[in-house]
Amino acid sequence: MDVAGIRMDNPLMVCSGVLGISAGLFSRIEAAHAGAVVTKSISLVPNKGYDNPTVTGVASGVINAMGLPNPGVDAFIEELGRSEVSMPIVVSIYGNDEGEFAELARRLSPHCSALELNLSCPHAGGLLAIGQDPNLVERVVRAAKEASNVPVLAKLTPNVADITKIGLAAQEGGADAICAINTVKAMAIDIYQKHPILSNIGGGLSGPAIKPIGVRAVWDLAGAIDIPIIGIGGIASWEDVVEYLYAGASAVQMGTALGMYDIDHITRIKDELDIFCASTELDYEGLCGIVRKRYP
Ligand code: RRO
């Protein structure tokens, strides 16, 4: 199948920030039959991230504030050079302004199948500010598009009043697809120690708790934009995948579930999705928007 110019065997992608870190992990993800992998978000200079604790479990989900840890663009290009997979690698990038996004796009696009612009980390003030402002989103997407020759995906935050305004701005800037959603702003307090659990205080909620928020975002975006949507948020089963596809997604990304189970969870979901497709006599593309189209 082809989603925004990315050729994938199936619509199950591994989302940014969980496993897409090293050439060795790319091979394991390909062996688990993922359609594509999105890497950890990469910046121009290395970033160590926040101090521990950076992750905590809550009811039906996980709150993280990793702090965008990554080895920086130079080291990551070397890592990409060690990759032996034929599965598409989508490199997630983040910068402080459109110039940094353009520089990252220019440096990384020769080494990947597509770029995903992280416009949405909920606890990186500058990034969240870009992702909440339609004008900035349009400018950043346009700059990255002009600097690269691979498809450019814009990953949006749910932490806005109307995600369709941001989606339309990304489309106007030339995005090839929208990824929705990143994590939802959240926090947790240790009532015995009387302090926030995460070192950063605030973080982003992922996992089953946010699935309905992601489905709603995809549904709303599908009614407003013309480019493909990649659904993200709380996907842990083949039924979750079908729900996102029915809402209007062309593909999905999984993250927290892979931490809760294992990489081979992708294989299990793909096998079950294939059985479902066979029973409905539809291919993956045939499932896209089935319910959404009934509510124009
Ligand atoms: O690294 C992080 O703390 C992080 C990122 Br870049 C992001 O986009 N979303 C998130 O929940 N955490």
Side-chain angles (χ1 to χ4, degrees), residues 106-123:
R106 189 184 65 71
R107 298 277 316 276
L108 283 157
S109 62
H111 306 280
C112 63
S113 304
L115 293 164
E116 181 181 270
L117 312 183
N118 187 346
L119 306 167
S120 46
C121 182
H123 40 265

Side-chain angles (χ1 to χ4, degrees), residues 19-80:
L19 295 168
I21 301 158
S22 66
L25 278 167
F26 298 154
S27 295
R28 287 183 63 195
I29 293 165
E30 182 172 63
H33 304 292
V37 59
V38 187
T39 71
K40 182 68 193 156
S41 293
I42 303 299
S43 53
L44 283 174
V45 291
N47 185 16
K48 136 178 178 323
Y50 299 140
D51 291 337
N52 284 327
T54 51
V55 180
T56 188
V58 291
S60 299
V62 170
I63 305 178
N64 88 83
M66 310 302 294
L68 305 108
N70 79 95
V73 65
D74 293 326
F76 200 65
I77 286 173
E78 281 180 31
E79 192 62 36
L80 288 168

Side-chain angles (χ1 to χ4, degrees), residues 53-273:
T54 51
V55 180
T56 188
V58 291
S60 299
V62 170
I63 305 178
N64 88 83
M66 310 302 294
L68 305 108
N70 79 95
V73 65
D74 293 326
F76 200 65
I77 286 173
E78 281 180 31
E79 192 62 36
L80 288 168
R82 287 189 275 275
S83 168
E84 295 177 337
V85 299
S86 54
M87 160 192 76
I89 297 177
V90 180
V91 176
S92 170
I93 58 175
Y94 77 92
N96 290 311
D97 54 40
E98 68 228 66
E100 289 192 12
F101 273 97
E103 176 65 9
L104 285 159
R106 189 184 65 71
R107 298 277 316 276
L108 283 157
S109 62
H111 306 280
C112 63
S113 304
L115 293 164
E116 181 181 270
L117 312 183
N118 187 346
L119 306 167
S120 46
C121 182
H123 40 265
L127 261 195
L128 190 59
I130 292 176
Q132 289 174 327
D133 180 335
N135 295 321
L136 287 177
V137 165
E138 186 177 334
R139 273 175 28 205
V140 166
V141 172
R142 181 163 293 121
K145 250 326 253 184
E146 283 172 5
S148 70
N149 53 6
V150 292
V152 170
L153 323 179
K155 183 166 178 181
L156 305 192
T157 176
N159 302 305
V160 288
D162 182 359
I163 198 166
T164 65
K165 289 203 175 82
I166 311 294
L168 282 165
Q171 176 174 273
E172 194 59 33
D176 296 282
I178 299 295
C179 303
I181 53 177
N182 205 318
T183 51
V184 179
K185 278 175 90 163
M187 75 174 290
I189 294 173
D190 181 330
I191 61 165
Y192 301 104
Q193 300 297 325
K194 300 190 180 67
H195 62 66
I197 291 179
L198 299 181
S199 74
N200 185 56
I201 300 177
L205 178 63
S206 61
I210 71 162
K211 192 189 75 177
I213 301 173
V215 170
R216 172 68 188 268
V218 168
W219 179 278
D220 288 350
L221 285 161
I225 62 174
D226 304 316
I227 52 179
I229 302 159
I230 297 173
I232 315 168
I235 295 167
S237 68
W238 70 269
E239 291 97 328
D240 297 335
V241 177
V242 172
E243 189 174 355
Y244 268 95
L245 298 181
Y246 278 1
S250 298
V252 297
Q253 295 180 11
M254 292 193 302
T256 302
L258 304 181
M260 287 175 163
Y261 303 98
D262 53 37
I263 298 186
D264 293 332
H265 199 56
I266 301 170
T267 317
R268 288 190 283 275
I269 293 185
K270 185 193 165 298
D271 290 347
E272 288 161 350
L273 186 64

